[in-house]
Amino acid sequence: MTLIRLFTLLTLALVISACSTEPVKPLPAEETKIAPPVPEEKAQSIPQSEEMPPFSVLVEGKELRLINMMDGGACKNDRQGVQGVFLTYASPGDIDRIKKAEGAEVFNGFAKQIESIALKAMKQAVDKTEFDFDPFALSEMEAQLKITEEWIKHFDQAVEVDVKAFINRTSLTIAITPFIKSLVFYGQGCEIVAPKEQ
């Protein structure tokens, strides 16, 4: 594990709530449309902080820009679950090429597919994660950190196959990742209402 990842996860452990019962309110459908990437000159003028997601990421040497943020959540049972914000990054070059070839309206269908991939991965990760605190952990923070790391690992594994299939089908290079700072883990009551599939 890299030092940066460890620092990020330790910071995350300080802000994660272990028990809450406030349900997630899914974003309205119009807010899940793929927006154009933030122009580079505008992105550079907006100050970055730990409370904001990065405007771009490198995936296999290719720069992807933030195009969408989606709220979502899932319960494992009536006590345990996760909610948070999911970030979608895409290649600006791919977006321009597809718009020229197929028109801008094609992205409305892409947005629904991406939302479905993220919610499916979240549910699979929640179902595989052991939410009960490790009795051998040295502290509550360490126990929470283990749960967080496990959930993120399961999410990354779950989303990988569907993202690759999406890229092969659409030729739009994307990445879907949870915004770690936004994650809320429920341990003593989960009443998340997941958006219905359309």
Side-chain angles (χ1 to χ4, degrees):
M1 178 184 301
T2 66
L3 185 59
I4 293 175
R5 179 172 166 82
L6 179 60
F7 175 76
T8 301
L9 290 171
L10 285 172
T11 304
L12 166 67
L14 295 173
V15 298
I16 289 178
S17 169
C19 57
S20 175
T21 58
E22 185 179 325
V24 172
K25 294 177 183 175
L27 292 176
E30 62 271 13
E31 291 187 36
T32 62
K33 292 180 181 176
I34 293 182
V38 177
E40 189 172 351
E41 59 277 6
K42 185 176 180 183
Q44 290 175 347
S45 69
I46 301 173
Q48 291 289 285
S49 75
E50 291 182 359
E51 303 304 320
M52 296 175 63
F55 292 111
S56 64
V57 294
L58 280 177
V59 177
E60 297 179 0
K62 192 171 190 178
E63 182 187 27
L64 306 183
R65 300 262 183 92
L66 181 63
I67 60 167
N68 194 24
M69 297 174 68
M70 181 190 76
D71 196 13
C75 294
K76 181 176 185 175
N77 49 46
D78 61 356
R79 295 184 306 110
Q80 301 166 329
V82 179
Q83 78 175 54
V85 173
F86 297 88
L87 310 171
T88 303
Y89 293 87
S91 164
D94 289 350
I95 291 174
D96 290 343
R97 174 180 46 78
I98 293 169
K99 279 184 178 178
K100 287 176 184 175
E102 302 181 44
E105 62 278 358
V106 72
F107 288 99
N108 291 338
F110 288 173
K112 291 179 182 176
Q113 294 174 48
I114 292 168
E115 178 181 4
S116 178
I117 290 169
L119 294 175
K120 177 183 170 186
M122 169 169 249
K123 178 59 177 163
Q124 289 176 348
V126 164
D127 289 343
K128 289 182 178 179
T129 299
E130 179 55 60
F131 285 86
D132 293 328
F133 276 10
D134 180 355
F136 300 106
L138 298 177
S139 66
E140 184 175 326
M141 187 173 85
E142 181 183 324
Q144 183 65 64
L145 183 60
K146 286 183 178 181
I147 294 170
T148 304
E149 286 181 314
E150 182 184 351
W151 184 85
I152 291 171
K153 179 187 75 173
H154 290 314
F155 180 87
D156 289 345
Q157 290 171 345
V159 82
E160 183 179 13
V161 172
D162 286 341
V163 164
K164 284 182 179 176
F166 175 88
I167 293 170
N168 289 336
R169 186 172 63 251
T170 65
S171 78
L172 175 62
T173 305
I174 64 165
I176 303 172
T177 182
F179 181 33
I180 295 177
K181 281 282 188 179
S182 75
L183 295 178
V184 177
F185 288 76
Y186 295 85
Q188 299 180 7
C190 185
E191 300 175 0
I192 298 169
V193 179
K196 293 180 180 178
E197 294 282 342
Q198 297 190 4

